[in-house]
Amino acid sequence: MGFATKAIHAGQEPDSTTGAITTPIYQTSTYAQDGLGHHKGFEYARTQNPTRMALEKNLAALEGGYAAHCFASGMSAIDTTLKLLQAGDHVIVSENTYGGTYRLFERVLKNFGLDFSYVDTTEAANVEAALTGDTRMVFIETPTNPIMAVADLEGIGKLTRERGIRLVVDNTFMSPFFLRPIEWGADIVVHSTTKYLNGHSDSIGGVVVTTNAEDTERVGFLQNAVGAIISPFDAWLVMRGTKTLAVRMKQHDDNGRRVAAFLDEHPKVKKVYYPGLPQHPQHERAKRLMTGFGGMIAFETGSLAAARSVLDNVRLCALAESLGGVETLISHPATMTHASVPSEQRARLGITDGLVRISVGIEDVEDIIADLDAALQQV
Ligand SMILES: *Cc1c(COP(=O)(O)O)cnc(C)c1O
């Protein structure tokens, strides 16, 4: 079955009582049981909810995983994944990861005895050099946010396999339409479903996709024990979203390439970060690992004043955090998504005050380009 077919049909059998083609929103907290010890497999809605379970089957199929569990946010999905570990365990993390992930690791999970090392995951050798006797997980985000560095998934996948270390990949930026990390050795894939999977900027959610029975059992246990579940309505929204994932991603990619090429030629733009550009340092790797480059672009304007001028003068592009929706969003990583990353570290990662990030939407690309062009003229 092809990707678009799976996106529309996996986990989405017509409702058994009415034939409803769209999975209903089972807005209930509990289920009447037939008799003591006899029920239909549903006892309490933190533990089982048919709407959520339909979405979980859908997302497991799209990533090529064994099973999936959905959460109230991308952060709760990541938090639950880290709870597979024990105090004393060491985790190697991509160095310019999503700001919220960095905050969770450094300001919350560290207090519970986990230890984190941040390395440039574009080279597997850096991961190897950071290994300690206690390393139990490698957590990769690729391409990284916001400077779009593409990790050596293949090399790191081999290394973690050989050593029996869990490889977790945050695949939010590419979506399974362009990248399926499990095919390159990932044991677990996480997403903020808030972004491309839902795709319409109207829901917050997360997913953990597992590849074996043991992790699936444990993540399911944690989902129920901790209780950070996605609501039935949000699960339903994400399913509505994934049905069009294939067509949306093709358009994000098409528009992304056109906007990146435009920015690359623009005299007011100093540098463009987009894996689809031939001068991107991991362009060849991106072509091998991914079937498209998506709609995430960052570009350097040279100064805070220049960035401000662009951000204040766009009209169609909305100044907002988040990404992956149908509408084009523009943001300033240094003061918005990455404000919680210490400034020295931001500088080292290239997250300068002049850096602007765009999540290219699926509007007519001519309109997006005209809007950016008009704003850049003001610089
Ligand atoms: C948004 C995002 C998250 C966090 O997800 P929420 O749904 O906002 O909690 C994690 N990783 C990446 C790459 C993201 O873009």
Side-chain angles (χ1 to χ4, degrees), residues 247-258:
V247 286
R248 283 189 289 110
M249 291 315 293
K250 278 182 207 161
Q251 198 60 47
H252 282 296
D253 183 60
D254 244 42
N255 288 3
R257 291 177 200 230
R258 295 271 302 275

Side-chain angles (χ1 to χ4, degrees), residues 71-78 97-101 139 141-145 170-173 190-195 203-207 296 322-323 337 357:
F71 294 87
S73 65
M75 289 323 306
S76 56
I78 293 170
T97 189
Y98 177 72
T101 301
F139 187 100
E141 190 178 310
T142 188
T144 55
N145 180 16
D170 182 336
N171 195 26
T172 300
F173 269 37
V190 297
H191 280 272
S192 166
T193 63
T194 311
K195 317 295 168 54
S203 149
I204 299 277
V207 64
M296 294 306 299
S322 199
L323 60 110
T337 49
R357 187 186 84 174

Side-chain angles (χ1 to χ4, degrees), residues 213-259:
E214 200 181 315
D215 281 351
T216 299
E217 211 275 319
R218 187 68 187 165
V219 172
F221 170 83
L222 289 165
Q223 184 190 45
N224 184 49
V226 178
I229 49 166
I230 194 168
S231 76
F233 182 53
D234 287 284
W236 183 88
L237 283 171
V238 179
M239 274 192 280
R240 182 280 320 264
T242 58
K243 289 192 177 90
T244 58
L245 185 63
V247 286
R248 283 189 289 110
M249 291 315 293
K250 278 182 207 161
Q251 198 60 47
H252 282 296
D253 183 60
D254 244 42
N255 288 3
R257 291 177 200 230
R258 295 271 302 275
V259 171

Side-chain angles (χ1 to χ4, degrees), residues 60-285:
L62 295 185
E63 283 290 356
Y66 178 85
H69 290 87
C70 286
F71 294 87
S73 65
M75 289 323 306
S76 56
I78 293 170
D79 182 55
T80 301
T81 303
L82 272 286
K83 286 183 176 137
L84 291 167
L85 302 175
Q86 308 279 329
D89 289 351
H90 173 244
V91 185
I92 299 172
V93 187
S94 294
E95 68 178 354
N96 48 357
T97 189
Y98 177 72
T101 301
Y102 180 80
R103 179 175 55 199
L104 172 70
F105 291 180
E106 286 301 299
R107 297 180 57 191
V108 181
L109 296 176
K110 242 186 170 171
N111 300 335
F112 292 85
L114 292 179
D115 189 23
F116 299 92
S117 298
Y118 300 87
V119 307
D120 173 359
T121 49
T122 60
E123 303 290 341
N126 296 337
V127 172
E128 190 161 17
L131 287 168
T132 74
D134 295 323
T135 307
R136 296 288 175 269
M137 184 178 281
V138 175
F139 187 100
I140 291 182
E141 190 178 310
T142 188
T144 55
N145 180 16
I147 64 139
M148 305 302 291
V150 180
D152 180 6
L153 261 189
E154 209 173 355
I156 297 169
K158 273 201 197 101
L159 192 149
T160 51
R161 272 283 143 87
E162 279 164 18
R163 289 174 171 75
I165 295 169
R166 271 196 199 88
L167 176 58
V168 179
V169 176
D170 182 336
N171 195 26
T172 300
F173 269 37
M174 280 299 116
S175 92
F177 184 71
F178 286 133
L179 175 65
R180 284 176 298 282
I182 292 167
E183 292 172 5
W184 301 101
D187 301 292
I188 292 180
V189 176
V190 297
H191 280 272
S192 166
T193 63
T194 311
K195 317 295 168 54
Y196 287 106
L197 292 176
N198 181 60
H200 294 73
S201 308
D202 51 15
S203 149
I204 299 277
V207 64
V208 179
V209 181
T210 40
T211 54
N212 61 55
E214 200 181 315
D215 281 351
T216 299
E217 211 275 319
R218 187 68 187 165
V219 172
F221 170 83
L222 289 165
Q223 184 190 45
N224 184 49
V226 178
I229 49 166
I230 194 168
S231 76
F233 182 53
D234 287 284
W236 183 88
L237 283 171
V238 179
M239 274 192 280
R240 182 280 320 264
T242 58
K243 289 192 177 90
T244 58
L245 185 63
V247 286
R248 283 189 289 110
M249 291 315 293
K250 278 182 207 161
Q251 198 60 47
H252 282 296
D253 183 60
D254 244 42
N255 288 3
R257 291 177 200 230
R258 295 271 302 275
V259 171
F262 158 78
L263 291 169
D264 191 39
E265 305 255 287
H266 202 286
K268 299 276 173 69
V269 174
K270 310 257 182 287
K271 188 170 179 186
V272 182
Y273 299 90
Y274 184 67
L277 290 172
Q279 71 269 28
H280 184 282
Q282 294 94 37
H283 177 63
E284 289 307 317
R285 175 186 294 159

